[in-house]
Amino acid sequence: MSKICLCLTAKTISRNLELLDKYRKYIDMAELRVDCLDPDENFFIRHFPKQAGIPVILTIRRKQDGGNYLSGEGSRVSLLSRGLAFAESDKRHNFAYVDLEEDLDVPGLEEAVRTFGTRIIRSYHNFDGVEKITEKVRSLRKIGDEIVKIAVMPQNLQDVQTIYRNSRENTDGEKIILGMGPYGFNTRILCEKLGSFLSYTSETEDPEIPPGAPGLISPAELVEKYRFRDINSKTDIYGVVGFPLTTTFSPRIYNTVFSREKINAVYIPFPSLSLNYFLELAEELNIKGAAVTNPYKEEIINHLANVTDAVRVAGACNTIKVRGMPTKSIPGETITRAWSGTNTDTLGFTESLLKFLDRKHLRGQKITVIGAGGAARAVVSEIHRLKGKCLILNRTPVRARELASNYNFSWGGLDSQALDSMDRYSDIIIQTTPVGTFPDVGDDPFELYHFNGHETVMDLIYNPLETAFLKRAMAVGCRVLNGMDMLLRQAKYQYEYILDREFPEQLVPALLASLQK
Ligand code: NAP
């Protein structure tokens, strides 16, 4: 089973020991990053393994490999020797591992550490991309009992696919293979699938502590949010694809449900600048189903072998799953699995709004929808089904026109000309753009519009719960509804579609409390 290693990057030994205690219940081992310590602390590194009480890796990372060490190789080797000197017969008091880069040639030191049972992690870092990992693993492994470490920076999900494929081809000996940065995030969770010896983690709550490497999460998040300890070769993989995907609550929802329901599955965010790259990776990882979010809710439809009426009517899809049927091949693409898709934003939106209004339909209601993207498509199709009248306003007016023409609704741009029309469509205002989402919480999608206090205002954003737009509406007495209730409702239908099983309703209050926190 892959281990969890806490990367210790504090300036002092004592702070590192505090961090170790903070996360002790989640971790198997730690890495002392000596290059992050204040120089005076270097005198005390030899005693660290005994103080830590768990296996520790000794690492002095150079600047060129992503660390802080700037002095020459001679002094680095002396410092390594200081950490490894006076080995004790009780191995627990020595460093269990030492990280030596591939180009560091110190046979004397290596011989000494082997004699006293310290294992060598032979490491290689590439911050510019991904190369042929299979060959690299072979060339790095000098002696059988070394652990080979390859840390690369994928530039997209196609690079990530290469990492998994190469790792599968390479089964000899122990290895650590990981992808850094946002695209490689999934490799930190799916260590078992990569056959990786460990996953590195880092303190993430204290801004004074630098992350050990790009993309590290805390041990608590790895275990509690991403089920690291439960993942094995049989674990089913689900996820969400979109870009930039900085705000997604669905991993928390799904992984909580998987955990409580004892389902051997994990749910992972896959930020991707290309939908094709995600679909190819889905093939490699055997991803069984996924949520699809902006900007891919329309594009995904071209890749589906089968869609529900909800997709057909809305012209947008937010949920896909693998169907057990032959391939729909797309010319020029290597994607071979057959996907089905549905749209759960529609039902999620309707249930949330009608419950809030205590109504069964929208007959007689004049509604403005701000935005004309994937979510707006679902919202507008439901307003039409529920007999409401609608004005669609969008930054790019031609998209508003195109959407409105499907239903004979009114449309316009987000400009002063729209204000007159909006006065006539102000029973309900529904904000469907991402403007105002964390971290840009001060942004407002339509500052020109002044609420009169009689509107009901719904914002589909759920992070933050009160957007700048909603705050303005509340300030003059409007009734407001945020996107959290819709999120949970659509997630429930999504779960039922993808997993073909009932959503455990009894978990909703706990999920809501956890998400609101
Ligand atoms: P999308 O397909 O990318 O559409 C984005 C829409 O926002 C487009 O109309 C776009 O206008 C507009 N927009 C983007 N940036 C803008 C800006 N700076 N100023 C003005 N308009 C801007 O995204 P989506 O899938 O519809 O998602 C939109 C939002 O809804 C996201 O925040 C998402 O989290 C939220 N959502 C919430 C739920 C829920 O359950 N609560 C469900 C679905 C979506 P252009 O056409 O001019 O580009």
Side-chain angles (χ1 to χ4, degrees):
M1 174 169 266
S2 303
K3 299 180 190 312
I4 298 178
C5 177
L6 176 63
C7 193
L8 294 168
T9 55
K11 286 181 180 165
T12 63
I13 295 278
S14 60
R15 182 70 184 117
N16 278 329
L17 288 168
E18 281 170 15
L19 293 175
L20 225 150
D21 279 339
K22 175 177 175 183
Y23 293 115
R24 195 173 286 278
K25 71 173 178 179
Y26 298 110
I27 61 178
D28 305 295
M29 54 197 290
E31 178 186 44
L32 181 65
R33 282 281 300 276
V34 176
D35 53 293
C36 297
L37 288 172
D38 283 338
D40 284 353
E41 298 283 307
N42 290 344
F43 294 105
F44 311 111
I45 59 177
R46 174 64 195 89
H47 303 296
F48 191 77
K50 188 174 179 179
Q51 293 168 301
I54 56 172
V56 182
I57 306 171
L58 173 64
T59 300
I60 310 176
R61 189 70 74 223
R62 296 174 296 202
K63 194 88 183 160
Q64 71 211 63
D65 296 316
N68 292 325
Y69 200 76
L70 284 168
S71 305
E73 284 299 75
S75 54
R76 195 162 74 104
V77 172
S78 306
L79 196 48
L80 281 167
S81 308
R82 190 187 296 171
L84 298 163
F86 307 112
E88 294 185 31
S89 53
D90 185 343
K91 282 187 184 174
R92 289 170 306 171
H93 297 172
N94 304 331
F95 281 96
Y97 307 89
V98 59
D99 185 310
L100 303 177
E101 293 81 1
E102 64 160 344
D103 59 339
L104 185 69
D105 193 20
V106 280
L109 181 76
E110 291 178 20
E111 205 42 53
V113 299
R114 282 196 195 98
T115 309
F116 291 102
T118 298
R119 291 187 69 190
I120 293 173
I121 297 177
R122 188 73 61 181
S123 66
Y124 168 78
H125 298 82
N126 181 350
F127 287 87
D128 299 320
V130 171
E131 66 255 79
K132 291 186 174 137
I133 292 172
T134 314
E135 283 82 9
K136 198 79 208 168
V137 169
R138 286 193 194 119
S139 72
L140 274 183
R141 196 182 300 286
K142 290 189 181 165
I143 292 183
D145 82 328
E146 289 187 0
I147 299 169
V148 166
K149 174 188 168 186
I150 297 185
V152 290
M153 182 72 84
Q155 306 296 310
N156 51 48
L157 289 191
Q158 199 170 41
D159 283 348
V160 174
Q161 203 192 336
T162 305
I163 297 177
Y164 284 104
R165 196 176 331 108
N166 284 192
S167 185
R168 197 158 30 83
E169 286 163 4
N170 205 308
T171 51
D172 312 340
E174 283 172 304
K175 60 184 189 287
I176 300 165
I177 294 191
L178 56 94
M180 297 180 279
Y183 300 114
F185 179 69
N186 54 85
T187 66
R188 301 195 180 277
I189 298 164
L190 297 176
C191 271
E192 274 299 309
K193 302 262 177 196
L194 280 165
S196 204
F197 177 68
L198 61 76
S199 185
Y200 291 94
T201 56
S202 187
E203 158 68 10
T204 50
E205 288 169 352
D206 181 349
E208 298 277 300
I209 308 287
L216 290 190
I217 57 174
S218 80
E221 202 177 349
L222 191 63
V223 172
E224 289 179 353
K225 185 168 166 190
Y226 290 106
R227 315 198 64 206
F228 186 85
R229 298 285 190 210
D230 299 318
I231 296 174
N232 54 42
S233 59
K234 294 202 168 69
T235 302
D236 287 336
I237 304 171
Y238 300 93
V240 50
V241 58
F243 195 84
L245 211 56
T246 37
T247 296
T248 172
F249 283 14
S250 41
R252 190 173 289 283
I253 298 174
Y254 276 81
N255 287 327
T256 303
V257 175
F258 290 157
S259 178
R260 300 276 181 95
E261 296 287 289
K262 303 205 175 349
I263 297 170
N264 189 4
V266 64
Y267 189 99
I268 299 172
F270 292 96
S272 183
L273 265 169
S274 150
L275 188 56
N276 273 333
Y277 289 168
F278 168 74
L279 293 171
E280 286 168 16
L281 181 65
E283 194 81 19
E284 174 69 34
L285 288 179
N286 193 16
I287 294 174
K288 297 252 163 79
V292 179
T293 187
N294 54 323
Y296 299 128
K297 286 181 181 177
E298 291 152 70
E299 187 184 338
I300 187 69
I301 297 173
N302 301 325
H303 299 275
L304 304 178
N306 184 40
V307 294
T308 59
D309 283 345
V311 173
R312 243 173 255 124
V313 173
C317 164
N318 75 335
T319 310
I320 57 171
K321 70 172 172 184
V322 172
R323 287 179 73 213
M325 62 165 271
T327 307
K328 179 197 176 203
S329 73
I330 298 165
E333 288 171 13
T334 53
I335 301 154
T336 54
R337 43 183 43 199
W339 293 97
S340 302
T342 191
N343 193 321
T344 64
D345 286 339
T346 44
L347 266 183
F349 161 75
T350 298
E351 281 190 4
S352 184
L353 182 64
L354 292 187
K355 181 165 174 273
F356 184 72
L357 297 173
D358 196 18
R359 297 179 66 107
K360 294 216 162 18
H361 55 75
L362 294 172
R363 198 186 297 276
Q365 296 294 298
K366 295 237 176 170
I367 304 164
T368 297
V369 170
I370 297 176
R377 284 178 172 274
V379 165
V380 170
S381 73
E382 285 295 274
I383 292 172
H384 180 259
R385 187 175 69 82
L386 297 164
K387 314 276 187 247
K389 291 267 175 286
C390 186
L391 164 70
I392 303 164
L393 302 178
N394 194 42
R395 176 178 62 176
T396 312
V398 66
R399 290 189 80 194
R401 185 181 67 189
E402 189 220 322
L403 179 55
S405 66
N406 297 335
Y407 305 98
N408 212 9
F409 283 160
S410 303
W411 59 276
L414 279 172
D415 49 33
S416 52
Q417 279 181 11
L419 295 174
D420 280 348
S421 327
M422 218 174 151
D423 278 345
R424 282 177 276 117
Y425 285 87
S426 59
D427 295 326
I428 305 171
I429 297 174
I430 302 168
Q431 197 303 105
T432 73
T433 79
V435 181
T437 304
F438 179 85
D440 303 313
V441 294
D443 292 358
D444 189 316
F446 199 21
E447 276 170 337
L448 288 178
Y449 181 75
H450 295 289
F451 295 99
N452 59 38
H454 301 301
E455 306 95 330
T456 294
V457 185
M458 178 176 190
D459 195 328
L460 264 51
I461 293 171
Y462 46 84
N463 183 19
L465 292 172
E466 286 178 9
T467 57
F469 191 68
L470 284 190
K471 278 185 183 155
R472 261 199 319 121
M474 279 189 293
V476 293
C478 297
R479 294 184 68 209
V480 303
L481 172 63
N482 64 41
M484 183 59 85
D485 184 57
M486 171 177 167
L487 175 76
L488 271 176
R489 289 175 193 273
Q490 70 78 25
K492 164 191 140 82
Y493 290 116
Q494 201 164 57
Y495 176 93
E496 292 181 345
Y497 178 79
I498 293 178
L499 280 105
D500 220 358
R501 55 196 290 167
E502 223 169 287
F503 187 85
E505 296 278 353
Q506 72 279 9
L507 293 185
V508 169
L511 282 171
L512 201 56
S514 141
L515 295 179
Q516 282 173 344
K517 212 163 42 175

